[in-house]
Amino acid sequence: MTEIFEPTSAHDPRLARRVTGLLGAFNVAGVVDAADVRVAERVAALAGEDDERVLLAAALAVRSVRGGSVGLDLGALPELPALGELPGLPGLPELAWPERADWMAAIGASALVASEVLHVEHDLVYLDRYHRLERQVAGDLVARIELGPPAIDPGVLAATLRRVSGDHLSAEQAAAVEHAARHRTTVLTGGPGTGKTTTVARLVLALADQFAAAHERRMSIALAAPTGKAATRLQEAVTAELGALGALGDADHQIAAPQAMTLHRLLGWRPDNATRFRHDRGNRLKYDLVVVDEASMVDLTMTARLLEAVRPESRLVLVGDPRQLTSVGAGAVLSDLVAGFAADPDSPVVALTENHRSTEEIKDLAAALRDDSADLDATADRVLDVLRAGTGEVTWVETDDPIGALQAECTAAAVRIREAALTAGPEAALAEIEGFRLLCAHRDGPYGVRVWNRYVEQWLAAEIGAPLGSAWYAGRPLLVTSNDYALDVYNGETGVVVTDPVGRPRAWIAGAGAPRPFAPARLDAIETMHAMTIHKSQGSQATRIAVLLPEEGSRLLSRELFYTAVTRARESLLVVGSEAAVRAAVTTTAQRATGLRHRLGPRAV
C-alpha cells in the first residue's frame, strides 16, 4: 500500500471535524457527538441562524431524543452526563453553560423557532417532529374522552360481573372491569402479581357482552404487545382465562378466541417506511376492541400511530406497569398518562394494587423498589434489608467475583437445555429455557451479555468434555431481535437449536401457537440467550431469575432497571452485586424530559 492511502491519524467518530465555539467545546467534552453537531449546523444554515447558543440547544435537543427524552430540559443540563470518555484528549476546563434565562430568550427569539424547527413549551425545547407527535397523542386521547361515555346496559353489566366473579376476582379487579365498560379508553396499571391478565380477560368478556347486547354481530378483538414474546404470553393467558370461564365458543353468550400480534403487525408494517403503517386516519383498524399489553415499552411515535389507527368509537385498553423501564424510543407515555390524568375526575386510568402472588419475598422487594419516599437512602436501606433477609426465594450474593457466584448455576441451566434438545425435543428444550435466565444491565464489558454468553458457552463445552462444534450447536438458546414479517417471526420471541433426524441444526422459534422449525440460514436477527439484557427481558418471565448488577458507576443503573429485572422472576431470584451497586440503582431514577403529562392536565393539549 502506498503512503498516500495510509491513515495519518486515528479519529474518534464522535468528534466533529472543523467545529469551534460552544459546539466544539461541548463536542470535545463528550456532551454532544458528531451527529448532533452536524444536524444542528445543517438546520441552522437552512434557517439562517448563527447564535452559537441556539446551535448548542439544537444539538442537545437531538441528543435528548436519542437518550429517550421528547424535549430538552435546559434546567437539568448542568448535571447532564457526558456520552462517554474520549480517550487521548487533553484535559479540558469546566464547561461554560450559557445562563439559563438568557439562553431560553435567545432560543425563543431564534430563526429556528420562527421557522418551527424548534419549539419552546413546558420549559422544554422540542424538535418539531416530537412536538407534533406529543400534541397529537394528547389531542387524540382528549378527543376520545370528550366523545363522552359509551352507552351501556346496566343489567348486562351486572350479569357479566356475576358471571366472572368468584375466588379469582377481587373487588378492585371487578371495579376495573366496570370502569372499562363505562369508558372508551382504559389505562390499566399494576405491578407484578396484581392480576392484570385476569382482569383483562374479564373486561374483554364484559365489553363483548355489552357489544352483543347493542349489535347483531360479535365484537372483533385484537390483542397486541410491543414484542412477539409479550404478545404470545398475552394470548395464552387471556385465552386460558376465557376458557376457564366457559366464554370461548360459537354460542350466543360466547366469544371467538382473540388473536395476539405485535403492534407492528397490528398496524400494518410497511417495508418502505419505518415510522408509518398501512393503518392510519384514512384506513382505520377494523377492530371494535384493541388491548395493548406491556404499554410501558411503547414509545411516543408508536403511541401516536396506534391512536390515529384506532377508530374513535372503538374501545382501547392499555395495560402495563409504569414502574418498569420506559421504552427504548423517545417518551415515557404510560407514566405520563398516569401522572397527567391523576387529577382528572373522568380519568381513564385504573390501578390494581393488591398483590395476589405467593412469592412473598419477591413481592416485598418489588414493593420496596416502588417506595416513592423522598429519603432515597432510607429506601435503599429497606431494599437492602429485604435482600439480606432472603430465605431462598430471594438470595443476594455480595461479591467482587460474579463468575464464582454464577458459573455453577449458569452451567447447569445450559446443560439442562442441551440435554433436553438432544433427548426430548424442542418443546422440552424451550420449557427449560423458561426455567432460568441470567439478566445483565449492559450488552458489552465485563458485566455485559456478550461476555457472559461466551462464558456460558465455554463452561458448557468444558462440562460436556467436547467443543460445541458450531455456532448452531444443539441446545443453543436463541432470542429474535427484530421482526421478520415474511417468516412471521417477531422481536422478543425465543427459540432453541435442535438437530433433526439426519443431524441438521434447526432453530425452533416459540411464537404464537406451536413452535416452528427454521433453517438457520433463513434467520438474520438472532442472538444467543444464555444471558440477555434487562431491557430485552421486558414482556417475559422465567421461573428463576439471576440479576448481575454492574459496578456502581454504570450509567445504566437505575431503580427502574432493577425493578424490571426483579419482577421478571416467577418463583425465585438471585441478585449478584455489591451493596454500592444496589444503592446506586435504588437512588437513581430514570428521568425523561416530556411534556405529555402537562398536556393532559386540565385538558391542556
Side-chain angles (χ1 to χ4, degrees):
M1 180 180 291
T2 62
E3 186 174 302
I4 194 170
F5 294 108
E6 293 177 358
T8 58
S9 63
H11 176 72
D12 191 305
R14 293 172 292 180
L15 287 175
R17 295 181 187 273
R18 296 180 295 278
V19 60
T20 59
L22 275 179
L23 272 183
F26 279 78
N27 177 217
V28 171
V31 176
V32 293
D33 71 8
D36 305 329
V37 170
R38 296 310 182 204
V39 171
E41 289 180 328
R42 178 63 175 163
V43 297
L46 291 173
E49 179 60 61
D50 58 5
D51 188 325
E52 62 179 1
R53 295 170 299 173
V54 177
L55 269 70
L56 176 60
L60 287 167
V62 177
R63 177 223 155 115
S64 297
V65 169
R66 289 193 293 105
S69 291
V70 175
L72 167 66
D73 181 358
L74 293 182
L77 286 183
E79 290 77 41
L80 189 71
L83 293 170
E85 297 297 327
L86 297 179
L89 293 176
L92 294 167
E94 184 176 346
L95 289 171
W97 292 93
E99 195 279 324
R100 186 173 183 274
D102 291 343
W103 196 6
M104 187 67 84
I107 297 167
S110 71
L112 290 183
V113 168
S115 60
E116 297 188 338
V117 173
L118 298 180
H119 299 264
V120 180
E121 194 176 2
H122 303 300
D123 293 325
L124 300 177
V125 179
Y126 291 87
L127 299 174
D128 179 61
R129 165 182 165 79
Y130 293 92
H131 185 258
R132 285 186 287 106
L133 285 171
E134 193 174 86
R135 286 179 59 85
Q136 179 198 322
V137 167
D140 284 345
L141 285 168
V142 169
R144 291 181 61 83
I145 293 172
E146 290 179 345
L147 282 174
I152 68 162
D153 186 322
V156 171
L157 178 58
T160 304
L161 288 172
R162 288 193 298 271
R163 180 182 175 190
V164 303
S165 64
D167 296 337
H168 298 291
L169 194 71
S170 68
E172 71 172 6
Q173 289 171 328
V177 172
E178 183 168 359
H179 176 282
R182 297 180 182 277
H183 291 75
R184 298 181 192 279
T185 305
T186 297
V187 181
L188 179 66
T189 69
T194 54
K196 293 191 295 294
T197 305
T198 296
T199 306
V200 166
R202 283 154 177 78
L203 70 82
V204 165
L205 182 54
L207 295 175
D209 285 351
Q210 288 292 321
F211 192 88
H215 301 81
E216 295 183 356
R217 63 178 179 86
R218 286 186 174 191
M219 172 178 266
S220 56
I221 302 166
L223 306 179
T227 68
K229 186 65 175 179
T232 299
R233 286 184 58 240
L234 176 64
Q235 178 173 320
E236 291 172 348
V238 170
T239 300
E241 290 281 350
L242 291 173
L245 291 169
L248 298 177
D250 296 324
D252 290 342
H253 67 287
Q254 295 177 317
I255 60 177
Q259 297 297 305
M261 63 197 84
T262 64
L263 276 171
H264 282 80
R265 184 179 176 192
L266 171 71
L267 296 177
W269 174 77
R270 287 171 48 181
D272 63 323
N273 195 318
T275 62
R276 288 288 179 178
F277 299 89
R278 290 198 308 273
H279 292 288
D280 54 22
R281 293 193 198 282
N283 181 28
R284 302 275 192 171
L285 291 166
K286 64 180 181 180
Y287 299 102
D288 304 302
L289 168 63
V290 176
V291 179
V292 179
D293 197 13
E294 298 292 347
S296 64
M297 299 170 64
V298 184
D299 65 14
L300 181 68
T301 299
M302 184 60 81
T303 303
R305 302 301 174 239
L306 174 67
L307 288 171
E308 68 185 14
V310 175
R311 288 180 290 135
E313 67 274 17
S314 296
R315 303 297 187 100
L316 176 64
V317 179
L318 305 177
V319 186
D321 184 349
R323 302 285 183 163
Q324 286 188 23
L325 283 167
T326 49
S327 57
V328 174
V333 175
L334 183 62
S335 58
D336 279 345
L337 297 188
V338 173
F341 284 119
D344 194 321
D346 196 28
S347 172
V349 179
V350 57
L352 301 177
T353 59
E354 183 181 352
N355 196 308
H356 302 281
R357 284 186 181 172
S358 59
T359 49
E360 291 297 328
E361 291 174 19
I362 296 174
K363 182 168 66 177
D364 290 346
L365 182 56
L369 288 167
R370 289 196 300 270
D371 185 352
D372 286 329
S373 169
D375 189 340
L376 297 178
D377 290 332
T379 301
D381 288 340
R382 182 183 172 197
V383 169
L384 288 164
D385 287 344
V386 177
L387 287 171
R388 291 188 173 115
T391 59
E393 186 182 301
V394 172
T395 305
W396 177 32
V397 178
E398 185 179 4
T399 179
D400 295 326
D401 178 24
I403 290 177
L406 290 166
Q407 180 173 352
E409 190 159 7
C410 289
T411 304
V415 168
R416 289 194 300 270
I417 297 169
R418 179 176 173 83
E419 290 179 347
L422 291 171
T423 63
E427 289 83 359
L430 288 166
E432 287 294 346
I433 288 174
E434 301 302 315
F436 173 82
R437 193 154 297 159
L438 171 62
L439 302 183
C440 305
H442 292 268
R443 290 187 58 81
D444 299 300
Y447 297 90
V449 163
R450 296 184 194 276
V451 168
W452 281 83
N453 273 321
R454 289 198 297 270
Y455 283 159
V456 176
E457 289 181 332
Q458 292 167 4
W459 299 334
L460 175 60
E463 185 70 18
I464 64 177
L468 296 178
S470 164
W472 295 93
Y473 57 87
R476 177 191 173 194
L478 306 173
L479 176 68
V480 179
T481 58
S482 70
N483 299 323
D484 188 325
Y485 297 91
L487 296 181
D488 200 27
V489 171
Y490 299 99
N491 178 33
E493 292 180 340
T494 56
V496 66
V497 176
V498 179
T499 53
D500 66 12
V502 298
R504 295 174 303 184
R506 289 292 179 265
W508 286 80
I509 304 299
R516 295 176 297 142
F518 296 91
R522 299 185 68 193
L523 299 172
D524 292 327
I526 291 288
E527 294 180 355
T528 302
M529 201 186 69
H530 291 297
M532 70 187 304
T533 63
I534 297 171
H535 276 85
K536 287 286 187 181
S537 75
Q538 288 183 273
S540 68
Q541 290 185 315
T543 303
R544 178 167 173 78
I545 289 289
V547 182
L548 175 59
L549 293 178
E551 294 176 326
E552 61 179 301
S554 166
R555 292 186 294 115
L556 294 183
L557 267 182
S558 69
R559 192 185 304 192
E560 292 83 358
L561 185 90
F562 195 16
Y563 175 83
T564 299
V566 165
T567 54
R568 300 309 92 203
R570 290 195 191 98
E571 296 180 8
S572 65
L573 174 72
L574 169 65
V575 177
V576 177
S578 66
E579 176 178 336
V582 173
R583 287 191 177 276
V586 175
T587 57
T588 304
T589 57
Q591 299 293 332
R592 289 196 167 185
T594 79
L596 181 58
R597 64 187 60 192
H598 303 295
R599 298 183 191 282
L600 298 174
R603 303 287 191 272
V605 186

